[in-house]
Amino acid sequence: MRIITGIVILLSFFACNRNPFAQTRYQPEVYTPSSVVVPKPDAAVIPLPEKPAVYAIFLTTQGNMAVELFDQDAPKTVQNFIDLAQGEKEFLARNGQKVKKPFYDGLTFHRVIENFMIQGGCPNGDGTGGPGYRFDDEINGKSLGLDKIQAGQAPYYQYQLQRAVANELQIKNREEAEAKRELIEKAFEDAKKLSVLEILFRTGYKYNETLKSHRAIKGSLAMANAGPNTNGSQFFINQVDTPHLDGLHTVFGQLVSGADVVDRIVKAGNSKTTIKKVLIVDKRAAATTAQ
């Protein structure tokens, strides 16, 4: 009986090895929340909501926009943005020297796409620049419901699904893909049964289960990146809902005024709108004092 049991276990082991998508591997990241500090609170120069929160006011050549920053839901990302905006964080300038000054002043919205978003925060003005460092995403995939969606039923994530299959089968080029076509097709069908969360995890995304993350909707302020955990200084503001970006970018704020300014920036085109200044207004302290 022991021999038979051992054979069954061995066969099960090899079956799982042949099918890399037979089991889930997702593991949440250990995450320690932090408190957001505004070193130099600015005065509001435009009307803001009564809600006690931290706000960023973008003063641009097309007008002003105000964004509520999600200090409770993406605190490390918000802190990075505040510190760069106020010149509290050292960054690497284009000449290779370390600098500490307001980062966003004078930069442009270098990439704008109609019915999509406006993107800024690149010191090179072409999407290739950053502050000289990178930091991890700050996303709770389960709070976005990514664990409830089958990858095969989510057309937005087909690229990540294909990448997950290629990674698992160690497909490095077109020739290998052609040679393993049948194996790839079988693996693809198996992978489609897994959740979007699982597939994204297998392509390098890290998720915590502590924060309340936000979907990428119209007016969302989110980090631009070059893949998982490559955040720096670049950000974008959505002109429309972008559900295909849920779980791929840290959403750390929401536009509360200036949607018309976003439209004007889009209409103006790439690199035609300059950020004159980013003000950080902290209305949390006022609410505490009132109590």
Side-chain angles (χ1 to χ4, degrees), residues 40 83-91 93 98-105 277:
K40 298 177 289 190
D83 289 345
L84 285 176
Q86 296 199 318
E88 294 293 315
K89 192 164 192 171
E90 198 173 64
F91 63 89
K98 291 184 177 180
V99 181
K100 199 173 183 182
K101 64 178 184 178
F103 184 88
Y104 296 111
D105 295 8
K277 188 77 177 173

Side-chain angles (χ1 to χ4, degrees), residues 67-114:
V67 174
E68 177 190 343
L69 300 177
F70 297 145
D71 63 302
Q72 297 291 318
D73 302 333
K76 295 175 184 179
T77 307
V78 167
Q79 191 68 65
N80 177 74
F81 180 81
I82 290 173
D83 289 345
L84 285 176
Q86 296 199 318
E88 294 293 315
K89 192 164 192 171
E90 198 173 64
F91 63 89
L92 204 62
R94 295 185 69 176
N95 60 7
Q97 298 297 313
K98 291 184 177 180
V99 181
K100 199 173 183 182
K101 64 178 184 178
F103 184 88
Y104 296 111
D105 295 8
L107 301 187
T108 66
F109 284 97
H110 63 274
R111 179 173 179 246
V112 304
I113 301 176
E114 188 174 7

Side-chain angles (χ1 to χ4, degrees), residues 7-26:
I7 292 173
V8 170
I9 293 173
L10 193 61
L11 289 173
S12 298
F13 172 79
F14 283 121
C16 287
N17 273 340
R18 284 196 303 270
N19 180 5
F21 299 102
Q23 296 179 332
T24 60
R25 299 178 190 168
Y26 165 74

